[in-house]
């Protein structure tokens, strides 16, 4: 293999449990976003736009959809003989296999892959953040400071700092202390989970830490231990748009950011394109009585009804008389005649029957999962069928092929669920 100055390792194996039913059948980085994109498209596009042409994608949880989406990396120009994109799943070593048991442990298990490219630097990324970043600028900062580690940070309001990993740095942005969710934070520099390491320093740290922590994690183990050993560590300030879409509410809000008149996050800039694996779709069609305001409509949509303040994925059909407000409809779903949807998320390949109402009534937190569904957003899981003439309240979850008899008196009250055909928790 030809030597690479820097390669990227993209952590895409997390379950995304705080997204509830949306990640019941797929890894979080495979979740649709902004109509036709997947969450993983953003760090992948950042890599190729930044000149990083070697990316290892570490998968573990329900990787099928993610693997199919990435393929051999053609949309991102990462189908290369020397470098390109490589899927790195847990694998057997000798007679035994081992799951990835921490963010740093997953890198430790792939030291051999990294060594093939003899890199000077390794870029560690999450697969589920929405942002545009030129990693070459972060690398230049890392090299200028002769750092062992550079951590991308954003300034956050002080009242939010206690919920995050906080970097305390001097006037030159050299980090002297890391605090994980400190009750009394000393600064507001929050880690974005984006790291550049000088490879030999990280390699040594991973090997040393594995002897102590089998489930090694960057935030809990590697970063504090490197600081304790007086390794040179700097904070790289990033002042542009960045969102962690780890909850139902944050996912919904990030999509809504796209539909403003002047969007805070712009998908349409030519100089920093976001690439994705998408087939050629037919044009979008709107019927004679349709109405669309402040929304994103993807290729192949047919809109006969009314759409307001929403993000609509490819091949979605919204039939006559249907109204969709403040919602996210992923690809290949059908909204029947006369239906009314407000503040809801509909996963791919769903069917909503005629005259169905979703998002009715008071904002009652979900009975089973109040920590996930509490902001008034109701969610339909992938390939869900909702029969005609039923009413669904706020903070509800519906999953599977439901029938009229599943709805008592034709209604699912706010905060309740109907889950069919899926084992385990959603």
């Amino acid at each position: 293999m030809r030597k690479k100055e820097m390669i990227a390792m993209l952590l895409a194996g997390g379950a995304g449990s705080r997204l509830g039913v949306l990640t019941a059948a797929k890894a979080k980085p495979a979740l649709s976003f902004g109509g036709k994109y997947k969450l993983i498209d953003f760090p992948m596009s950042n890599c190729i736009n930044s000149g990083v042409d070697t990316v290892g994608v570490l998968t573990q949880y329900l990787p099928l959809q993610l693997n199919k989406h990435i393929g051999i990396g053609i949309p991102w120009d990462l189908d290369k003989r020397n470098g390109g994109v490589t899927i790195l799943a847990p694998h057997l070593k000798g007679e035994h296999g081992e799951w990835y048991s921490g963010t740093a442990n997953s890198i430790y298990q792939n030291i051999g892959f990294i060594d093939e490219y003899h890199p000077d630097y390794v870029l560690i990324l999450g697969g589920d953040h929405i942002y545009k970043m030129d990693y070459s600028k972060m690398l230049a900062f890392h090299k200028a400071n002769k750092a062992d580690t550079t951590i991308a940070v954003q300034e956050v309001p002080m009242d939010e700092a206690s919920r995050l990993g906080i970097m305390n740095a001097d006037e030159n942005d050299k980090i002297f202390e890391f605090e994980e969710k400190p009750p009394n934070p000393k600064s507001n520099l929050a880690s974005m989970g984006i790291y550049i390491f000088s490879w030999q320093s990280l390699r040594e740290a991973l090997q040393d830490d594995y002897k102590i922590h089998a489930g090694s994690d960057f935030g809990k183990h590697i970063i504090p231990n490197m600081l304790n050993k007086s390794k040179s560590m700097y904070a790289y300030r990033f002042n542009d748009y960045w969102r962690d879409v780890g909850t139902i509410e944050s996912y919904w809000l990030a999509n809504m950011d796209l539909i403003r008149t002047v969007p805070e996050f712009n998908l349409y800039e030519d100089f920093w394109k976001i690439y994705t694996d998408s087939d050629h779709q037919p044009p979008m069609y709107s019927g004679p009585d349709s109405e669309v305001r402040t929304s994103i409509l993807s290729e192949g949509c047919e809109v006969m009804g009314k759409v307001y303040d929403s993000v609509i994925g490819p091949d979605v059909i919204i039939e006559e008389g249907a109204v969709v407000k403040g919602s996210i409809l992923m690809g290949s779903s059908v909204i029947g005649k006369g239906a009314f949807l407000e503040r809801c998320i509909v996963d791919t390949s769903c069917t909503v029957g005629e005259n169905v109402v979703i998002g009715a009534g008071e904002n009652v937190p979900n009975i089973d999962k109040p920590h996930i569904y509490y902001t008034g957003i109701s969610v339909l899981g992938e390939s869900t069928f909702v029969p005609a003439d039923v009413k669904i309240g706020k903070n509800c979850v519906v999953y599977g092929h439901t029938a009229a008899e599943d709805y008592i008196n034709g209604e699912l009250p706010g905060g309740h669920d109907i889950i069919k055909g899926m084992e385990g928790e959603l």
Side-chain angles (χ1 to χ4, degrees), residues 124-343:
I124 308 294
L125 304 170
D128 49 12
H129 298 148
I130 306 300
Y131 66 112
K132 297 177 182 179
M133 178 188 282
D134 187 344
Y135 303 133
S136 67
K137 293 182 178 179
M138 184 174 173
L139 177 59
F141 176 88
H142 179 88
K143 291 160 70 174
N145 287 292
K146 297 181 173 59
D148 291 296
T149 306
T150 296
I151 301 173
V153 299
Q154 273 204 334
E155 294 187 13
V156 299
M158 285 299 292
D159 58 357
E160 296 181 14
S162 60
R163 298 187 292 104
L164 304 166
I166 297 299
M167 301 295 165
N168 297 320
D170 64 19
E171 64 276 7
N172 297 314
D173 286 328
K174 185 174 183 180
I175 298 169
F176 59 84
E177 184 180 24
F178 170 68
E179 296 181 288
E180 180 66 28
K181 299 180 180 178
N184 298 300
K186 301 172 187 175
S187 82
N188 65 340
L189 294 181
S191 170
M192 298 166 62
I194 299 169
Y195 314 108
I196 290 179
F197 292 95
S198 296
W199 173 229
Q200 290 308 314
S201 291
L202 176 59
R203 196 180 194 282
E204 179 184 323
L206 291 171
Q207 291 176 325
D208 289 345
D209 194 70
Y210 183 70
K211 301 170 185 175
I212 305 170
H213 307 110
S216 184
D217 183 85
F218 281 109
K220 294 178 181 177
H221 306 120
I222 300 298
I223 300 299
N225 289 346
M226 291 183 79
L227 274 174
N228 289 339
K229 293 181 178 180
S230 300
K231 296 291 186 179
S232 177
M233 192 174 296
Y234 280 82
Y236 177 75
R237 295 173 184 257
F238 183 70
N239 299 316
D240 291 327
Y241 186 96
W242 178 84
R243 292 288 184 273
D244 179 353
V245 289
T247 66
I248 292 290
E249 175 75 359
S250 63
Y251 173 78
W252 183 84
L253 285 171
N255 273 272
M256 294 301 109
D257 283 343
L258 302 176
I259 62 176
R260 298 177 183 175
T261 303
V262 180
E264 189 173 354
F265 185 73
N266 192 345
L267 289 173
Y268 310 108
E269 296 168 323
D270 286 336
F271 73 91
W272 198 273
K273 290 185 177 179
I274 303 300
Y275 301 94
T276 189
D277 178 25
S278 60
D279 297 327
H280 292 290
Q281 303 280 356
M284 187 275 288
Y285 173 77
S286 58
D289 297 320
S290 65
E291 184 176 350
V292 178
R293 296 182 186 174
T294 325
S295 297
I296 289 176
L297 303 181
S298 301
E299 298 95 329
C301 288
E302 295 181 21
V303 179
M304 310 297 181
K306 302 182 188 303
V307 179
Y308 309 116
D309 305 311
S310 296
V311 176
I312 311 299
D315 293 327
V316 169
I317 297 173
I318 299 172
E319 295 184 344
E320 294 92 338
V323 177
V324 177
K325 300 176 67 175
S327 295
I328 302 164
L329 311 186
M330 300 184 201
S332 304
S333 292
V334 177
I335 310 302
K337 295 179 180 179
F340 182 90
L341 281 66
E342 184 170 17
R343 199 173 166 84

